[in-house]
Amino acid sequence: MPTYMYRCSECDEFDVVQPMSASTTTHQCPACGKSARRVFTAPALSTTSGAVTRATDIAAASSEAPQVVRSIPSGTTPPRNPRWSPFTGASPVPAKRRTPGPYQPLPKL
Ligand SMILES: [Zn+2]
């Protein structure tokens, strides 16, 4: 059932959930009993999928009360490039895997 918004001239706005067949341009104010006029608003249509909506809701909830993570969550896959990790950053390349540079190595003393 749709939700209709009404605005009372004496009080404030209020919502009424009622069938479309019962919607009228006026409704009795629940606070003062006077006749309130219907307010036309944009319909609450959603074009996003359920997964996107859930992810958006989780992100919004996390911004309000962030959860503290003390370890790497289980189930995460290791990075594809072992030389870089989002947790440890870059790691040195082993000497035998380094490509030789244009310069001769320094003599050992
Ligand atoms: Zn009222």
Side-chain angles (χ1 to χ4, degrees):
M1 263 190 286
T3 303
Y4 297 95
M5 179 188 290
Y6 291 90
R7 181 178 297 136
C8 177
S9 59
E10 300 294 325
C11 306
D12 200 7
E13 297 172 347
F14 58 94
D15 294 335
V16 176
V17 178
Q18 59 186 1
M20 293 175 80
S21 60
S23 68
T24 57
T25 56
T26 59
H27 195 274
Q28 185 178 5
C29 176
C32 68
K34 290 188 175 180
S35 179
R37 293 188 58 132
R38 182 173 164 196
V39 178
F40 291 91
T41 59
L45 301 178
S46 177
T47 56
T48 57
S49 67
V52 172
T53 304
R54 277 192 298 279
T56 305
D57 291 344
I58 290 171
S62 177
S63 66
E64 292 292 324
Q67 297 178 347
V68 177
V69 177
R70 299 191 190 285
S71 63
I72 298 172
S74 63
T76 57
T77 57
R80 295 176 67 184
N81 184 353
R83 292 195 291 180
W84 184 87
S85 163
F87 305 107
T88 61
S91 60
V93 178
K96 60 183 177 182
R97 291 188 60 200
R98 285 187 206 140
T99 55
Y103 307 106
Q104 294 295 322
L106 295 174
K108 293 190 178 184
L109 300 176

